Amino acid sequence: MGYQDVKFPNGTVFLVTGGAGFIGSNLCEAILKMGHKVKCLDDFSTGKEENIKDFIDNKDFQLIRGDIRNIETCMKACEGVDYVLHQAAWGSVPRSIEMPLIYEEVNIKGTLNMMDAARLNNVKRFVYASSSSVYGDHPVLPKVEGQEGNILSPYALTKKVNEEYAKLYYRLYGLETVGMRYFNVFGRRQDPHGYYAAVIPKFVKCLLNNESPVINGDGKQSRDFTYIENVIEANLKACYTKENVGGETFNIACGGQVNLIELYDKICEVLEVRIDPKFGPIRIGDIKHSNASIQKAKQLLDYNPDFNFREGIKLTIKYYKEYFMSNH
């Protein structure tokens, strides 16, 4: 069953924090297509107006400009809300190493504000973005929930703390918190610009501009690349499931493993270009290999990712070709 078949009652209201970001805007769009109401909370520190321009005038869409570091903003945003999909955060492992204090403020304090506002407004379920980075240096593959290693970056630490608070809020207050450990999400609206851009949009952008991209390290490091549609499915099914999932975390991935050289070759193949990449230094805080077990999510959330890596990459490249043509 895909998420389109998930039936929420008429009049269901969702709050998507970070709703103008990459994952958040895709969630807003999916919820509106299902015929439900969505509030989007964003301070536009990393989110973009262009991501929500197609539904800003939709009568079921409400934009709240505000910062999750402000508890009053969080309280107001949660009024009358059934489900919170908390995506607002600062991403990027390298940037967190440079700016740990802002990560503490936004990712930890901001998430705690949202959790408390959800609790006080009697939200049914609080589904939040965690990260595969919480596995740290644990060497065993595939990654299984409950088998974590030493944390390698401030970003990863913020996500780990979020998970601990979520467990506590479920135990103490009964707030049904559900953590989504995302594994290398990619797809439409992922930002291709800037120093901290994710690897897929960065590669595509370089190749479309006939430039040679930089691969950090030897390119043999592997990731479990996960197409955005699978992430939408996981979030909505985490709201919908009748299973007792309060305080739990789930790997949200494809269960696959693609190294960066393979990824680069696949993008070249789809674009029908061939430019040799450059190799740069290994990034501090990066893990060597990442591959998820998705058994727990399959069992308790009925999560069955519809899109594999190859299908996702084709759709993503099609999106970026159109994006760059319309922006030049």
Side-chain angles (χ1 to χ4, degrees), residues 16 19-20 28 38-44 48-49 52 55-56 58 60-66:
V16 180
C28 288
V38 62
K39 294 181 176 185
C40 162
L41 172 60
D42 208 301
D43 69 348
F44 294 94
K48 290 186 160 47
E49 304 262 1
I52 55 169
F55 34 88
I56 194 81
N58 189 313
D60 291 329
F61 180 80
Q62 180 190 353
L63 173 61
I64 304 164
R65 290 177 185 273

Side-chain angles (χ1 to χ4, degrees), residues 119-164:
R119 168 179 79 91
L120 294 168
N121 280 281
N122 299 309
V123 165
K124 289 174 186 167
R125 205 164 269 173
F126 183 90
V127 179
Y128 65 96
S130 186
S131 164
S132 60
S133 64
V134 299
Y135 286 104
D137 65 359
H138 194 271
V140 175
L141 294 176
K143 306 292 182 190
V144 178
E145 298 90 338
Q147 298 176 16
E148 295 83 30
N150 295 306
I151 292 294
L152 299 174
S153 69
Y155 171 73
L157 181 59
T158 66
K159 294 299 186 179
K160 184 67 183 164
V161 173
N162 289 169
E163 290 188 1
E164 291 302 321

Side-chain angles (χ1 to χ4, degrees), residues 72-294:
E72 286 81 17
T73 299
C74 299
M75 284 295 290
K76 194 164 172 16
C78 282
E79 283 174 12
V81 166
D82 296 296
Y83 301 101
V84 172
L85 301 177
H86 176 56
Q87 312 299 312
W90 272 42
S92 173
V93 163
R95 184 167 56 185
S96 78
I97 291 168
E98 292 171 20
M99 308 160 77
L101 298 184
I102 190 124
Y103 278 75
E104 167 79 23
E105 273 182 43
V106 175
N107 292 10
I108 296 179
K109 181 74 191 308
T111 298
L112 188 56
N113 280 343
M114 280 306 312
M115 247 179 246
D116 215 47
R119 168 179 79 91
L120 294 168
N121 280 281
N122 299 309
V123 165
K124 289 174 186 167
R125 205 164 269 173
F126 183 90
V127 179
Y128 65 96
S130 186
S131 164
S132 60
S133 64
V134 299
Y135 286 104
D137 65 359
H138 194 271
V140 175
L141 294 176
K143 306 292 182 190
V144 178
E145 298 90 338
Q147 298 176 16
E148 295 83 30
N150 295 306
I151 292 294
L152 299 174
S153 69
Y155 171 73
L157 181 59
T158 66
K159 294 299 186 179
K160 184 67 183 164
V161 173
N162 289 169
E163 290 188 1
E164 291 302 321
Y165 265 124
K167 281 191 267 192
L168 202 56
Y169 263 62
Y170 177 62
R171 287 202 298 267
L172 289 177
Y173 310 116
L175 177 67
E176 291 194 14
T177 56
V178 190
M180 308 269 99
R181 287 185 180 172
Y182 297 149
F183 279 70
N184 296 87
V185 185
F186 71 97
R188 59 189 176 273
R189 302 200 191 105
Q190 191 170 32
D191 188 3
H193 302 294
Y195 180 68
Y196 298 109
V199 65
I200 289 177
K202 194 182 269 189
F203 283 179
V204 175
K205 182 187 173 192
C206 284
L207 288 168
L208 287 173
N209 289 331
N210 289 315
E211 294 166 3
S212 181
V214 175
I215 294 178
N216 295 104
D218 60 8
K220 291 178 183 162
Q221 61 271 45
S222 64
R223 297 291 180 263
D224 195 334
F225 290 105
T226 310
Y227 186 56
I228 184 65
E229 285 290 313
N230 299 329
V231 168
I232 296 168
E233 177 195 341
N235 274 271
L236 293 169
K237 285 185 172 176
C239 295
Y240 184 77
T241 184
K242 302 297 184 279
E243 299 280 353
N244 181 12
V245 291
E248 297 288 343
T249 56
F250 296 90
N251 291 339
I252 303 305
C254 265
Q257 208 176 349
V258 178
N259 71 38
L260 292 194
I261 295 287
E262 288 174 310
L263 168 69
Y264 183 68
D265 287 343
K266 184 65 190 169
I267 293 173
C268 287
E269 179 193 315
V270 175
L271 285 173
E272 298 179 343
V273 296
R274 184 68 233 184
I275 300 169
D276 288 337
K278 298 172 188 159
F279 291 89
I282 295 167
R283 293 196 317 185
I284 299 168
D286 262 4
I287 53 170
K288 183 72 177 172
H289 296 292
S290 183
N291 164 237
S293 163
I294 54 175

